[in-house]
Amino acid sequence: MPTLDRVRIRPLDLAVAAASLTLIALALLHFGGGSSPAPAVLANPTLTPGSLNPDVTQATIRSTICVRGWTATIRPPTSYTNALKLEQMPQYGESGPPSAYQEDHLISHELGGNPTDARNLWPEPYPRAAAVDQVENELNARVCSGELTLTEAQHEESALKHDHG
């Protein structure tokens, strides 16, 4: 077991950790409640419990989510997500213009979420949807660097979207 005098924190590791925490804090403070003019739309655990892509496991991350551009190969067509958004908006009590929402994945492609299962999708309002994309990318980077396991990152993402919008 290393002693404290032999443990070194690399500046890049410290910067990545600080950036991750900053992004999460900003997303939660700015979009997850607080002084936001409209309440965040939380993913409903009954309507949107999440669903995983069976092709993505801890053993396959190096050939799936950690490969640049891989998520584009599994992204559903907008015709599918737009139709699902119109179906789900009333279920979520949302009546605004569909263009104000992104049909978002509870567990993102970047973390092994099922791309087409309706249990993994819900209408998330802009601009918050774009801010959460940054958090998803950070979690993916942490999984691919070995800092987090795939399961740990999936749990963090689910908690963010179910509990904090």
Side-chain angles (χ1 to χ4, degrees), residues 15 19 36 52 56 84 89 91-92 103 105 111 116-117 119 134 139 143-144 146:
S36 179
L52 300 178
V56 180
L84 188 57
M89 284 180 66
Q91 294 172 353
Y92 269 87
E103 189 67 7
H105 291 84
L111 295 175
T116 56
D117 189 333
R119 296 171 303 163
Q134 294 175 340
L139 287 170
V143 168
C144 294

Side-chain angles (χ1 to χ4, degrees), residues 42-106:
L42 298 175
N44 178 309
T46 302
L47 297 172
T48 312
S51 176
L52 300 178
N53 182 340
D55 295 332
V56 180
T57 65
Q58 188 69 44
T60 65
I61 63 171
R62 296 283 169 230
S63 62
T64 57
I65 66 168
C66 295
V67 174
R68 186 176 176 92
W70 180 81
T71 59
T73 68
I74 61 163
R75 190 166 311 284
T78 55
S79 59
Y80 172 77
T81 56
N82 283 342
L84 188 57
K85 179 178 13 176
L86 292 174
E87 180 182 320
Q88 289 181 333
M89 284 180 66
Q91 294 172 353
Y92 269 87
E94 298 300 315
S95 59
S99 62
Y101 298 83
Q102 171 183 302
E103 189 67 7
D104 197 22
H105 291 84
L106 181 81

Side-chain angles (χ1 to χ4, degrees), residues 4 6 22 27 31-32 35 63 73 119-120 128 148 163:
L4 190 54
R6 296 176 69 193
T22 300
F31 299 106
S35 63
S63 62
T73 68
R119 296 171 303 163
N120 196 44
R128 193 203 171 280
L148 285 178
D163 301 333

Side-chain angles (χ1 to χ4, degrees), residues 134-148:
Q134 294 175 340
V135 175
E136 294 167 355
N137 291 336
E138 273 300 318
L139 287 170
N140 172 271
R142 293 173 66 197
V143 168
C144 294
S145 74
E147 183 181 340
L148 285 178

Side-chain angles (χ1 to χ4, degrees), residues 9-19 147:
I9 298 174
R10 296 182 309 188
L12 181 58
D13 292 340
L14 189 57
V16 168
E147 183 181 340

